[in-house]
Structures are given as structure tokens and as C-alpha cells.
Amino acid sequence: MQHAARNYAIVTAAYWGFTLTDGALRMLVLLHFYRLGYSPFTLAFLFLLYEAAGVLANLIGGWLATRYGIARMLTVGLVTQIAGFLLLSMLDPGWSAAMAVAWVVVAQGICGVAKDLTKTASKSAIKVTQAEAREQGAGQLFKWVAWFTGSKNAMKGIGFFLGGLLLEVLGFRGALWAMAGLLALVLVGVVSSLPPMMGKAKASRSVRELFAKNPGINALAAARVALFGARDVWFVVGVPVFLYSAGWTFTMVGTFLAAWTIAYGVVQALTPHVVKRSADGLSQEVPAARHWSVLLALIPAALVGAVWFEVPNLEWVVVGGLSLFGFVFAINSSVHSYLILAYAGSEKAAEDVGFYYAANALGRFIGTLLSGVLYQWGGLSWALGGSALMLLACWLITLMLPTRLVLMGRPLS
């Protein structure tokens, strides 16, 4: 148990360091290029390859982590992120706009691969270490998952604030070098502390086997596409640009996004105290995923009305509504993060988690694209309307989640 808990703590700390720099990177790129006069659609375009690369990176990363070990893939993810930072720091202000955009998109794509390799390896390690600890109760797994995802997102929120601060103090290039140095220290800690073969198992031998997941994983992955698309459709471009156009400074916008993400992480960590748990790990948790999904869909729908009728102090109404959105969204996300490990087998946990987070990346890609497109076409009301429709789809998909573990249509004994 102590050995497993030690590995869990090391992986969590390593992912904290990675997430801190990843959050800072998003804020660096968004604020730096918006200050240069880029349109909402172009800002969204800068992140598209970052999100699209995650789809393939999760699928391949899960398979590679199963075959070569989780610690090795965590190392590869950290090295890839450092490479992406250094490449982005080589951006020349004298280049044409088209060349600059292409360079940033490629560098962001490399960072997107790094993010999802690291996420898949880190999340899979929870299932592996929990199995090694012989703590098979659903409650222990739920607590470990909730703490991991919650603390990770809190660190990402701090990263948003750090990105704005580093941009102000060190400039674009200096900030990237500082973050690369931080990750180098994290890399040394991972290589020297984790057993390289942790999580190694017999990987799938074909693409067909890799995609032959049980019905629970398939339905949950589809719901995840809709859930994260519904967040990013307003989070990536729409709300930051809306608040800035309403008179907020960059510091105020960055602080709001940081506070939102930190609070979101705190709520995720506390979810086991909010959601009732069952002895079988599914009979209470699956209905919870359904109930919180339909509740979440009502919030952006109400905000559409507020924006449409231009209520007084609209920006503060939006901030308040999205704060409530963050609370409900955090519970939804935490329940989903638990369910994927509840449905996954421990032998090929990395492959199952990789498949699930490929869906997560696809949702972020769709949300990122629509964030720029919908805001440019119809403003914030269109972005929030898109969010409400995606959440309705998420709720409908969760109706298909099984309340018992099944494999290829047959209940597991």
C-alpha cells in the first residue's frame, strides 16, 4: 500500500508541474496574440492543432503506455512539452502573419501531443497503483480520482494567472524559457523516482482490438465529447473576448479564468462528498452523471436569455452564471473521470483511458473551433446556445450508460 501510494503521489506531483505550465501556455498565447490584433476565429485556429493532436496522441499513448510502461510515456510527454516550448520561443516578430500563425499552430500541436501523452499516462497510473494497493473498493478509487483531477485543475487555474504574470514580467520568449526550465526539473524527478515498467501489460494486437471497448466506455466517451465541447465553446475565445470588450483588462480576464478553474478543481476534489456512492461503484454514480448533466444544460440556456435581452450589468450576470456552471460542470467531470476507471480493466487501463481521453480531446477540438466561429457569427449568445445544445446531447448519451460492468454486451460476473 505504501509503495502504491508513493507512486501515486509522484505521478500527481509530476502532473501538477506539467499542468501549471500548460495553463500558463494557453494564457500566454491567447493574450499575446489578441494584443497583436488577431481576430476571434484566428485565435481559435491557433489552438486547433493543439486539440486535434490530442485525439491521436491519446489513442497511441494509451497503447504505448500499456506496451512500454506508464513511467516511460510520462517521460516522453514531458520531453515533448519542453521541445514545444523551445520551438514556440523561436517565433520571429519579423515574420509575416501567415508564417507566424503556421509556426504557432505547429508548436501548439506538439504541446497538444505532450499534454495528452502525459494526461493518459498519469491517469492510468491511478488505476494501476490502486490495483497494486489491493484497495478494490469503489470509494478509494473515487477519492483518488477526484483528488487527482481536482488538484490538477486547480494547478491549471494557477497556471492561467502565472501565464499572464510571466508575459508581463519576462515577455513571451522569456516566459517560455522559464517554463521549459521548470519542466526539466520535473523530468529529472520522474526519471529518478518511478519504476520504468509500471503499468506494462500485453497491449492490443490490432486496431480492431484497440477500439473494441465495452459499452460503458463507448457511451462515456461519446458523452465526454459533448461535455467538453460545451465548456470550450465559450471558454476558449468567447468569454475572454466578451469580457475584454466590456472594458475588463487582461489582468482581470486572466484572474477570472484562473479563479474559475481553481474553484472548478476544488469542487472536483470534493465531489466524493457530494455524490452518493454505492458498493458496486455504478448504481448510484451513473444516475448522478445523468442528473448533473441535465442540470448543467439549463445554465447556458438561461444565460442566452440574459444576453439576448441585454440585462443590466450583463458582464457580471455572465460571470455569476458561469461560476454556477463551473460548480455543476466540475461535479459532472469528476463523476465521468471516476466512471472511466470504474468501467476500465486494470490490465489495459492505459488503453481504455487513452480511448476515453481521445474523445475528450475531440470534444475540446470541436468546442475550440466553434468558440471562434460562433462568437464571430453571433456573439456570446451563439456560443452559449451551442453549449446548451451540446449539454442536451450529453444528457441523452448518459441515458445509455450501463449500471453494471459489461463486456461486449455481457454483464461481468
Side-chain angles (χ1 to χ4, degrees), residues 81-318:
Q81 182 81 328
I82 293 172
F85 286 167
L86 295 178
L87 183 64
L88 192 56
S89 72
M90 296 167 62
L91 180 68
D92 190 335
W95 290 346
S96 66
M99 178 63 181
V101 168
W103 188 270
V104 174
V105 167
V106 171
Q108 286 275 82
I110 293 172
C111 291
V113 171
K115 174 185 177 179
D116 289 295
L117 288 178
T118 307
K119 177 190 285 187
T120 298
S122 300
K123 197 67 174 287
S124 304
I126 302 176
K127 183 72 173 183
V128 172
T129 53
Q130 187 256 357
E132 289 175 351
R134 302 174 184 261
E135 296 283 353
Q136 299 300 324
Q140 177 66 28
L141 181 59
F142 203 155
K143 289 178 181 177
W144 278 18
V145 172
W147 170 251
F148 178 87
T149 55
S151 61
K152 177 264 293 186
N153 282 305
M155 292 300 293
K156 187 171 185 177
I158 296 172
F160 287 155
F161 176 77
L162 180 65
L165 179 64
L166 290 176
L167 182 61
E168 190 74 27
V169 175
L170 300 178
F172 187 69
R173 183 170 296 174
L176 290 167
W177 288 348
M179 293 192 301
L182 173 62
L183 277 190
L185 295 177
V186 174
L187 176 63
V188 171
V190 168
V191 172
S192 61
S193 302
L194 287 178
M197 306 305 286
M198 184 177 70
K200 186 178 184 302
K202 185 178 181 181
S204 295
R205 293 169 293 181
S206 66
V207 173
R208 181 177 180 181
E209 183 180 350
L210 180 64
F211 281 89
K213 306 301 178 186
N214 69 58
I217 293 177
N218 289 334
L220 192 62
R224 193 73 171 186
V225 171
L227 181 67
F228 269 74
R231 182 199 66 176
D232 282 3
V233 73
W234 61 261
F235 188 87
V236 174
V237 173
V239 165
V241 172
F242 167 77
L243 292 177
Y244 182 75
S245 65
W248 288 37
T249 66
F250 281 139
T251 302
M252 292 171 65
V253 173
T255 300
F256 168 67
L257 294 178
W260 189 95
T261 308
I262 292 170
Y264 158 63
V266 171
V267 174
Q268 277 190 309
L270 296 176
T271 297
H273 301 287
V274 178
V275 176
K276 291 183 179 180
R277 284 171 286 160
S278 57
D280 59 25
L282 293 176
S283 58
Q284 292 283 354
E285 292 81 356
V286 170
R290 296 167 181 163
H291 297 157
W292 287 98
S293 292
V294 70
L295 178 61
L296 185 61
L298 298 176
I299 299 173
L303 287 176
V304 169
V307 175
W308 183 264
F309 291 106
E310 298 181 348
V311 299
N313 300 313
L314 179 59
E315 68 269 26
W316 293 107
V317 172
V318 170

Side-chain angles (χ1 to χ4, degrees), residues 4 63 76 111 147 157 218 231 247 340 377 382 394:
W63 182 84
V76 170
C111 291
W147 170 251
N218 289 334
R231 182 199 66 176
I340 181 57
W377 284 352
W382 280 43
C394 177

Side-chain angles (χ1 to χ4, degrees), residues 40 238 242 304 307-308 310 370-386:
F242 167 77
V304 169
V307 175
W308 183 264
E310 298 181 348
L370 291 178
S371 184
V373 171
L374 292 180
Y375 190 85
Q376 190 153 323
W377 284 352
L380 186 62
S381 61
W382 280 43
L384 291 169

